[in-house]
């Protein structure tokens, strides 16, 4: 008897606070290890999961994408409800879709979107304090937004690349970047073909330095291509992976804004094909 393979993609939301990142690490609680256990229970077989991208310890995701292949024949509702029933409270599936055999969550993605949430308060809130980076300073979102526009286009982002980054090239293409204020929250919203290790967090720390007058403009750091000149990396708890776009899968490609922002009608909605398909060089 021939058993057919099924190819499944998952849309995942998780709080990164108690995870040691997304990728499997021995003796550590990671998104991958928890998710594999939950999906395998539904499949009644051990499965392997591939992610669209890595997130560091403490970084959140409202729309991480992962995929797996299986011999188990389940409908999307069974995968969704069954997996969520086996997951802890800080991780949930929000979508399940059957995909083609050649679907690769990392390599077939056209672009990724991150948001970094910065709260301005002299007292870190008791509720939600772990879901933003809180600073006691009053910052200028308009100045930060103006300074960030130099990041657009395909450029060398060495100044914002962590020393541990293993990417083949420091070149990335930023399609969209904005900084807006929502009440006492400042949000960095950035879309690129891919991101270097801690790139968004280093951009945010540099924009904070611009607003505080510590540096004149982000363009100075960008042109220097020297990480040593940049401010220390912003903490992970303000960072969210919010969208990954695929040409053939609009349901997987939807924007899922962080709930901390409340009503988000001011946020732009992008289709997968709104930006050119500029694929970065990725390691196998």
């Amino acid at each position: 008897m021939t058993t057919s393979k099924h190819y499944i993609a998952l849309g995942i939301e998780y709080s990164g606070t108690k995870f040691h990142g997304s990728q499997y690490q021995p003796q550590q609680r990671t998104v991958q290890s928890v998710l594999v256990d939950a999906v395998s229970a539904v499949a009644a077989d051990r499965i392997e999961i591939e992610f669209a991208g890595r997130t560091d310890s403490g970084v959140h995701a409202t729309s991480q994408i992962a995929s797996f292949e299986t011999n188990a024949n389940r409908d999307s509702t069974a995968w969704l409800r069954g997996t969520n029933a086996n997951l802890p409270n800080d991780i949930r599936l929000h979508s399940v879709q059957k995909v083609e055999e050649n679907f690769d969550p990392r390599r077939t993605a056209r672009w990724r979107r991150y948001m970094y949430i910065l709260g301005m308060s002299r007292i870190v809130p008791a509720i939600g304090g772990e879901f933003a980076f809180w600073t006691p300073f009053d910052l200028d979102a308009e100045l930060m937004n103006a300074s960030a526009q130099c990041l657009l286009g395909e450029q060398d982002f060495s100044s914002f690349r962590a020393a541990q980054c293993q990417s083949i090239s420091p070149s990335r293409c930023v399609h969209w970047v904005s900084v807006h204020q929502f009440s006492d929250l400042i949000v960095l919203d950035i879309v690129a073909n891919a991101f270097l290790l801690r790139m968004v967090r280093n951009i945010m720390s540099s924009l904070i330095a611009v607003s505080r007058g510590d540096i004149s403009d982000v363009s100075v750091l960008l042109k220097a291509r020297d990480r040593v000149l940049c401010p220390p990396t912003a903490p992970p708890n303000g960072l969210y992976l919010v969208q990954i776009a695929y040409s053939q899968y609009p349901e997987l490609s939807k924007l899922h804004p962080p709930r901390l922002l409340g009503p988000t009608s001011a946020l732009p909605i992008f289709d997968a094909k709104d930006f050119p398909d500029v694929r970065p060089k990725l390691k196998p």
Side-chain angles (χ1 to χ4, degrees):
M1 185 175 92
T2 302
T3 303
S4 60
K5 287 280 188 181
H6 302 277
Y7 303 91
I8 311 295
L10 310 172
I12 312 155
E13 174 180 326
Y14 52 85
S15 164
T17 304
K18 295 180 180 179
F19 285 108
H20 289 267
S22 58
Q23 302 299 121
Y24 175 78
Q25 298 179 52
Q27 309 303 317
Q28 299 289 355
R29 184 178 189 262
T30 65
V31 176
Q32 187 172 34
S33 59
V34 167
L35 188 60
V36 164
D37 287 345
V39 176
S40 295
V42 180
D45 190 19
R46 195 69 178 171
I47 56 94
E48 295 182 2
I49 288 178
E50 295 184 7
F51 284 97
R54 294 171 180 261
T55 55
D56 287 342
S57 297
V59 174
H60 315 294
T62 54
S63 197
Q64 171 72 275
I65 305 298
S67 67
F68 64 94
E69 63 178 59
T70 179
N71 293 322
N73 187 11
R74 312 275 188 271
D75 62 28
S76 295
T77 300
W79 286 117
L80 182 70
R81 293 181 177 177
T83 302
N84 280 338
N86 287 290
L87 287 171
N89 292 334
D90 52 359
I91 177 172
R92 283 290 180 271
L93 302 188
H94 56 64
S95 56
V96 174
Q97 183 169 350
K98 292 185 177 181
V99 293
E100 298 295 326
E101 180 179 357
N102 63 354
F103 178 79
D104 182 320
R106 185 168 69 117
R107 294 182 177 279
T108 59
R110 289 178 66 105
W111 46 263
R112 287 101 168 141
R113 185 173 184 176
Y114 278 88
M115 291 182 184
Y116 193 101
I117 301 179
L118 174 70
M120 295 179 290
S121 175
R122 286 172 173 78
I123 299 174
V124 177
I127 299 174
E130 70 272 31
F131 296 117
F133 168 40
W134 295 89
T135 175
F137 306 108
D138 292 326
L139 301 174
D140 186 338
E142 291 186 5
L143 176 61
M144 295 166 74
N145 180 63
S147 186
Q149 298 312 305
C150 69
L151 301 171
L152 290 170
E154 189 165 5
Q155 303 186 68
D156 184 326
F157 286 91
S158 293
S159 292
F160 308 103
R161 177 182 188 176
Q164 303 90 341
C165 183
Q166 298 179 355
S167 294
I168 296 173
S169 168
S171 177
R172 292 293 184 268
C173 184
V174 173
H175 299 304
W176 161 270
V177 61
S178 72
V179 181
H180 288 290
Q181 185 167 346
F182 298 83
S183 184
D184 60 350
L185 302 175
I186 288 180
V187 179
L188 167 63
D189 182 4
I190 185 167
V191 177
N193 61 346
F195 291 87
L196 301 167
L197 180 62
R198 302 197 184 121
M199 176 175 160
V200 180
R201 291 163 59 189
N202 288 326
I203 288 173
M204 186 49 141
S205 66
S206 300
L207 291 171
I208 294 171
V210 168
S211 182
R212 296 193 62 200
D214 297 331
I215 58 176
S216 59
D217 194 80
V218 169
S219 63
V220 176
L221 303 177
L222 181 67
K223 293 173 183 176
R225 300 180 182 178
D226 186 352
R227 176 70 189 96
V228 175
L229 300 178
C230 288
T233 304
N237 56 306
L239 185 59
Y240 294 77
L241 174 58
V242 300
Q243 188 177 13
I244 303 177
Y246 302 92
S247 300
Q248 298 180 335
Y249 302 102
E251 188 64 29
L252 290 177
S253 304
K254 287 183 178 179
L255 170 66
H256 291 264
R259 287 174 170 78
L260 185 65
L261 297 180
T264 53
S265 59
L267 294 173
I269 303 299
F270 300 124
D271 182 80
K273 297 181 180 179
D274 283 344
F275 303 113
D277 191 6
V278 183
R279 303 287 173 90
K281 293 181 180 179
L282 299 174
K283 285 191 172 184

